Amino acid sequence: MSEVSQPMFPISRPRRLRRTAQIRAMLRETELTPTDFIYPVFVRPGAGIRQPITSMPGISQWSVDRLVEEAAEAFELGVPAVMLFGIPEHKDPMGSENFAPDGIVQQAIRALKQAVPELVVMTDVCLCEYTDHGHCGVLNEGIQSQLPHGAILNDPTLDILSKVAVSHAQAGADLVAPSGMMDGMVKAIRAGLDEAGYDQVAILSYAIKYASGFYGPFREAAESPPKFGDRKSHQMDPANAREALREAALDIQEGADILMVKPALPYLDILQRVSQTYPHLPLAAYNVSGEYAMLKAAAANGWLEERTVVLEALTGIKRAGAELILTYHAKEAAHWLKEG
Ligand code: PBG
């Protein structure tokens, strides 16, 4: 009979360190705090309006006056920042209201900065909420003969994105966040901002954005579904990971201050790879509308315990490497974290 070899030290018994709440708290590796959160908000024209979004229980489109109250509540709970999305009065092929000095987002930025000066105001910079066709760029209407009719034209779109970013900066935005996945968008926006004297306005780039089905509820919220086709000519294929590193490298080269991966939960491997490959840049993750809707729906049915799964999901996103999390759960999660 062969003898079982004895280890030199007694085998570790990890449960010793899980015995009490205090020991567990001391050894916790990832601590979620409200300062990790950025709260995405939707603003629409009018006054006194709170228009709930059916597929995102608890989330609404707000008129500017009501948005200010909502953002102030979030700020009170310790959430330092909002990401603004606008639903304009009129849409046209170029999305002109996007850079109008009195556009809906510009009005909202000024009102927020006046009411809560310390609130960090970030803005989404894209065309899809403003164009009548719902696409993220200018469409080919015979301008480019090599491209099919209706294709999104990259470089003409860059000029508009740069104008939009400058107009948000003029209104008082702290950071601008281009989300359209156009090639060269960060460079064009950086140049536009610097030229206009806004070298202090930072760029959070949606550097790695997948062509995801999880944006469904957002498209209801922002009234921005494409009228035809899809976004696969500019957003990334969900099957690709190496390509994410290339996108990150390009945006860093172009001058991005913060990178973002979107969506979050189905892409935690991407978050981890990007944070390990580029540890010198802050990294954000967008816990998108569909991820929110899933947990809300399960909780509403009593199938999941909401507080537990929301905090678990957000902790997972942070553990994977995100320092900032855009999440519709921001207010509730901040409230739960405060309660302890
Ligand atoms: C585009 C944009 C989208 C989201 C944020 N910015 C939608 C899209 O690409 O179709 C989705 C966010 C979410 O689902 O919560 N401006």
Side-chain angles (χ1 to χ4, degrees), residues 15 46 52 83 118 143 163 227 250 265 305:
R15 289 189 55 197
M83 177 69 76
E118 299 89 2
I143 317 169
K163 266 168 103 168
K227 293 271 157 16
L250 276 169
L265 295 173
E305 211 269 296

Side-chain angles (χ1 to χ4, degrees), residues 83-85 98 105 122-130 136 157-158 160-169 173 175-182 185 189 193 202-204 206 209:
M83 177 69 76
L84 263 176
F85 294 94
N98 214 344
V105 164
M122 308 185 177
T123 58
D124 184 80
V125 175
C126 193
L127 267 61
C128 61
E129 295 117 45
Y130 294 84
C136 304
T157 303
L158 298 183
I160 298 181
L161 292 176
S162 171
K163 266 168 103 168
V164 173
V166 169
S167 100
H168 291 175
L175 284 97
V176 292
S179 67
M181 290 291 281
M182 293 295 120
M185 66 184 183
I189 289 173
L193 289 172
I203 300 177
L204 184 163
Y206 289 65
K209 175 171 176 179

Side-chain angles (χ1 to χ4, degrees), residues 31-37 307 311 314-315 330-340:
E31 202 85 58
L32 200 61
T33 79
T35 48
D36 301 330
F37 302 148
R307 176 187 161 133
L311 294 178
L314 296 174
T315 301
K331 273 181 73 185
E332 279 176 323
H335 176 72
W336 292 324
L337 291 172
K338 260 194 164 173
E339 275 182 342

Side-chain angles (χ1 to χ4, degrees), residues 210-248:
Y210 286 91
S212 171
F214 287 96
Y215 308 147
F218 173 94
R219 293 180 187 171
E220 178 200 340
E223 302 178 11
S224 66
K227 293 271 157 16
F228 60 88
D230 54 39
R231 305 214 200 286
K232 290 181 183 164
S233 81
H234 49 291
Q235 299 180 349
M236 281 180 55
D237 185 329
N240 293 358
R242 273 182 290 134
E243 190 187 349
L245 299 180
R246 183 158 81 239
E247 284 285 359

Side-chain angles (χ1 to χ4, degrees), residues 33-312:
T33 79
T35 48
D36 301 330
F37 302 148
I38 299 166
Y39 184 32
V41 290
F42 302 97
V43 61
R44 61 168 309 131
I49 296 173
R50 175 196 182 138
Q51 173 74 42
I53 297 151
T54 334
S55 53
M56 300 173 73
I59 300 297
S60 301
Q61 297 177 345
W62 308 93
S63 53
V64 172
D65 52 335
R66 299 289 307 274
L67 173 72
V68 167
E69 296 168 19
E70 177 71 1
E73 272 180 34
F75 191 75
E76 278 298 299
L77 287 163
V79 179
V82 294
M83 177 69 76
L84 263 176
F85 294 94
I87 297 106
E89 193 101 55
H90 304 289
K91 303 193 186 217
D92 64 36
M94 308 291 275
S96 352
E97 216 181 299
N98 214 344
F99 47 83
D102 60 347
I104 187 64
V105 164
Q106 290 79 355
Q107 290 178 40
I109 299 167
R110 285 192 292 265
L112 287 168
K113 277 292 176 187
Q114 196 177 10
V116 194
E118 299 89 2
L119 179 74
V120 179
V121 175
M122 308 185 177
T123 58
D124 184 80
V125 175
C126 193
L127 267 61
C128 61
E129 295 117 45
Y130 294 84
T131 49
D132 50 12
H133 44 70
H135 280 291
C136 304
V138 180
L139 298 188
N140 186 26
E141 267 144 6
I143 317 169
Q144 281 243 9
S145 55
Q146 321 93 290
L147 288 172
H149 195 87
I152 297 173
L153 296 176
N154 198 83
D155 295 6
T157 303
L158 298 183
D159 298 337
I160 298 181
L161 292 176
S162 171
K163 266 168 103 168
V164 173
V166 169
S167 100
H168 291 175
Q170 248 154 15
D174 297 294
L175 284 97
V176 292
S179 67
M181 290 291 281
M182 293 295 120
D183 292 337
M185 66 184 183
V186 173
K187 185 172 174 214
I189 289 173
R190 187 70 271 160
L193 289 172
D194 290 352
E195 203 173 302
Y198 298 108
D199 61 341
Q200 294 302 305
V201 172
I203 300 177
L204 184 163
S205 177
Y206 289 65
I208 298 151
K209 175 171 176 179
Y210 286 91
S212 171
F214 287 96
Y215 308 147
F218 173 94
R219 293 180 187 171
E220 178 200 340
E223 302 178 11
S224 66
K227 293 271 157 16
F228 60 88
D230 54 39
R231 305 214 200 286
K232 290 181 183 164
S233 81
H234 49 291
Q235 299 180 349
M236 281 180 55
D237 185 329
N240 293 358
R242 273 182 290 134
E243 190 187 349
L245 299 180
R246 183 158 81 239
E247 284 285 359
L250 276 169
D251 279 17
I252 294 171
Q253 227 172 43
E254 291 182 23
D257 300 287
I258 304 176
L259 298 179
M260 183 150 72
V261 172
K262 173 184 174 187
L265 295 173
Y267 299 92
L268 295 181
D269 58 325
I270 306 296
L271 266 174
Q272 188 176 29
R273 281 209 211 188
V274 174
S275 77
Q276 286 176 351
T277 311
Y278 301 106
H280 54 298
L281 230 70
L283 183 60
Y286 200 145
N287 176 225
V288 302
S289 57
E291 299 173 58
Y292 176 84
M294 285 196 297
L295 296 192
K296 281 284 174 185
N301 278 291
W303 298 335
L304 289 173
E305 211 269 296
E306 185 170 0
R307 176 187 161 133
T308 307
V309 294
V310 168
L311 294 178
E312 182 179 338

